[in-house]
Structure formats: structure tokens, C-alpha cells
Amino acid sequence: MNNTDISTALQSLRASVKKVGFICAMDCELDAVTKLFSDLTVKKYGSIDFFCGKICGIEAIAAKCGVGKVFAAICAQTMILGFSPDLIINTGVAGNLSDSLRIGDIALSSAVVQHDMDTSPLGDPVGLISGINKIELESDIPSAIVMSHCLDTIGINNAIGVIASGDQFIASHEKKKQIKENFGAISCEMEGAAVGHTCYANGVRFLVVRAISDDADNSSPDDFPAYCVKVSETSSRAILEFMKMIAQ
Ligand code: ADE
């Protein structure tokens, strides 16, 4: 990425992003976002508390969706209908599928896939979303470029690539290899692609920002609980820099 790419991306975000929504699966991930808010109020829709306020003077909404794709889609749809965000950022932690990332680094989505979507017995490629006929749903590229630049600036190693979601905690070498081979994904988690799918259906831009908590292998049952809170802080630092940057 050169300076022209970054300044073009930044210009586009500054012109069009006036309200940002954040969706997290777990409390530790949400806490890392809501601590950045000023003027905080809470609005409840259904069973979900939406935290409303400002980050660096930009309107923001944050909510905890719960674990898995269905909760994530319910939350994203409610947020879109209730608050009309210009951009939704799904943030939290993820399992690592990339040789260039380590625990504490950040994976940013260029696109999302649902690794457990499978109509291949009918002749479809694995991951194909029937109805829209796509495997990958593209993220907001200007947001990924600016977020990556912010992370570079504060010295956090990061990669932009496909993020794979499914209703499974990945903790084996075989499953990890399969997701990498099928989708070329750099990380795996359980909500990003459902947020992406909902945003795609509503014409809303989205980005997935995930701090690596484990290597999606047999060390994950120990590493995930050990690093979850600590690495969520890294996502929070990334978000603060991003909001600062687009507020200027
Ligand atoms: N979130 C964090 N680590 C994960 C893993 N290994 N699999 C799925 N989701 C995750």
C-alpha cells in the first residue's frame, strides 16, 4: 500500500462515514470498545443492549451479539434497522490460519466466507451462498486500508485477507488445514461472515477486525481463555486510532 492509496481511502471514509456500528460476540470484546465511548446511553431492542455515544466525536453504536452466526446476523440486522450505521465493524478475537500472524497480531478482512456453508452434494463449491451465488463477500476496502495503516503506525503486526466464519471453535490441525485450503483464509472465528452477509443484504459497508487469540490447533483450548481479554485490548487500540484518523 502506498501513500496515495491511504489518502484516497481516508478521503472516502471522511466524506461518507458519519456513524460507525461495532458488533462483538463476548463481554471482554465489547468492554474494549465501550470504554472508548463518551456521552454513553443505552437503548434496548429485543434482547440486545445497544450502547450509543461518540468515539473521537464520531457517532458510534456498540452491541454484544453472542457467539455464532445466527446471533451475529440478528444483531447486525437490528443495528441496521434501528440505527442506520454507515459502516459496521465486527471486532474481537480469532484463531490464526496465517504464517505471517502471531497471537496478539490483527487480522483484517478483505472478504468474509462461511466455511460451514456446504451444498457441495448438489454440485456447488463449498462455501457458496445460494441465492446470491457468491462464496466471498467483499469488505469495505478503504476501511481495511486505513485500519491497516493505523496498526502499522502504532507498531501492531497485521494482515488483510479472507476471514472464515462458522459455528465451530477450530482446534485441530486437520480442520485448520481444510479451511486454509478451501478458502485461503488468514483467520477463523464465528461471527464475521454473518455480519458481512447481513450487511451485504442491506447494502451496508463492513469490516472485520480480529486480534489473534490462538493458533486454531490443539493449543487453542488453553490459549483462547488465556489471551482473550489481553488481545481484545489490541483491537480496542486499533479502533481508537481508526476513529481518530477519520475524525480529523
Ligand atoms: N475465536 C477465537 N479463536 C477461535 C477459534 N480457534 N475458532 C473459532 N473462533 C475463534
Side-chain angles (χ1 to χ4, degrees), residues 6 16 33 45 47 84 88 103 158 162 176 184 186 210 224 230 234 244:
I6 295 164
S16 57
V33 177
Y45 278 116
S47 60
S84 309
I88 292 186
I103 289 174
N158 63 93
V162 173
K176 178 174 174 168
I186 60 167
R210 295 278 183 157
F224 172 76
K230 188 164 179 254
T234 318
K244 256 191 223 164

Side-chain angles (χ1 to χ4, degrees), residues 93-95 168-171 188-190 210 213-214 216 220 224:
V93 300
Q168 296 163 1
F169 186 82
I170 306 303
C188 60
E189 37 80 309
M190 302 175 69
R210 295 278 183 157
S213 57
D214 58 271
S220 293
F224 172 76

Side-chain angles (χ1 to χ4, degrees), residues 26 29 67 92-97 115 164-172 179 187-191 210-217 220-221 223-224 228:
M26 298 180 297
E29 297 166 332
V67 174
V93 300
N96 184 26
L97 305 178
H115 67 73
S165 312
D167 288 323
Q168 296 163 1
F169 186 82
I170 306 303
S172 78
I179 297 171
S187 79
C188 60
E189 37 80 309
M190 302 175 69
E191 296 83 21
R210 295 278 183 157
I212 300 299
S213 57
D214 58 271
D215 278 321
D217 58 15
S220 293
D223 285 347
F224 172 76
C228 201

Side-chain angles (χ1 to χ4, degrees), residues 12-27:
S12 125
L13 292 183
R14 284 179 180 158
S16 57
V17 175
K18 304 296 171 203
K19 197 190 280 184
V20 184
F22 296 91
I23 296 180
C24 311
M26 298 180 297
D27 280 321

Side-chain angles (χ1 to χ4, degrees), residues 128-247:
L128 187 85
I129 306 168
S130 303
I132 56 179
N133 226 31
K134 283 173 177 284
I135 297 174
E136 292 187 3
L137 299 179
E138 193 182 320
S139 299
D140 186 53
I141 298 304
S143 298
I145 290 173
V146 171
M147 190 67 84
S148 176
H149 171 68
C150 291
L151 286 161
D152 291 344
T153 307
I154 56 175
I156 297 173
N157 184 43
N158 63 93
I160 301 178
V162 173
I163 296 186
S165 312
D167 288 323
Q168 296 163 1
F169 186 82
I170 306 303
S172 78
H173 183 70
E174 294 69 34
K175 191 72 201 173
K176 178 174 174 168
K177 186 163 170 270
Q178 186 188 30
I179 297 171
K180 280 173 77 167
E181 279 175 8
N182 282 345
F183 304 103
I186 60 167
S187 79
C188 60
E189 37 80 309
M190 302 175 69
E191 296 83 21
V195 171
H197 192 162
T198 309
C199 286
Y200 178 88
N202 288 275
V204 175
R205 285 173 283 172
F206 72 94
L207 177 69
V208 182
V209 180
R210 295 278 183 157
I212 300 299
S213 57
D214 58 271
D215 278 321
D217 58 15
N218 58 7
S219 60
S220 293
D222 292 328
D223 285 347
F224 172 76
Y227 290 106
C228 201
V229 174
K230 188 164 179 254
V231 303
S232 292
E233 280 305 308
T234 318
S235 301
S236 164
R237 287 178 61 199
I239 287 160
L240 180 59
E241 289 308 312
F242 177 83
M243 296 299 270
K244 256 191 223 164
M245 189 72 110
I246 61 172

